[in-house]
Amino acid sequence: MEDNRSSRTPTDEDLLEELRQLLAARGKLSLSLIEASHLTRAPNTYIRRFGSLIAAYARVGYDPNPRQRSTSLRFRRPGAPGDDMAPQSPGD
């Protein structure tokens, strides 16, 4: 990844290309791979931009396994698609 990451706001395509590069290099995507990679930004960058990691994964054509899907539900932007499936607190 180029060193000018902070010099401009990345486009959606910039962020997706980072994920594509990681997917090509590792054969899969995950929160821990994104965190550890020098190819990608922090996971929260993708969550803020796309609503969840699962949504970002879908944009690059990656289909996560069921365990990754359930884990990703804990890491999504409030109000993101699927947020209505979140457990309700008593009294809501």
Side-chain angles (χ1 to χ4, degrees):
M1 179 148 58
E2 297 176 13
D3 289 331
N4 66 353
R5 282 190 273 183
S6 61
S7 65
R8 66 176 177 84
T9 301
T11 65
D12 287 1
E13 189 55 35
D14 292 335
L15 295 174
L16 295 171
E17 183 57 30
E18 293 169 5
L19 292 177
R20 285 185 197 106
Q21 289 177 7
L22 181 59
L23 179 58
R26 298 301 301 264
K28 65 179 182 175
L29 295 172
S30 70
L31 176 70
S32 59
L33 286 175
I34 293 169
E35 287 176 327
S37 178
H38 69 280
L39 298 172
T40 57
R41 297 165 206 271
N44 280 341
T45 302
Y46 304 98
I47 294 167
R48 281 192 307 269
R49 182 66 61 90
F50 302 110
S52 69
L53 288 177
I54 295 296
Y57 295 168
R59 300 270 304 261
V60 298
Y62 178 67
D63 187 25
N65 65 43
R67 182 173 171 220
Q68 286 178 298
R69 285 185 177 282
S70 66
T71 299
S72 181
L73 290 176
R74 293 182 287 149
F75 299 101
R76 68 175 183 264
R77 188 184 71 226
D83 202 43
D84 57 331
M85 295 171 50
Q88 298 293 314
S89 300
D92 280 353

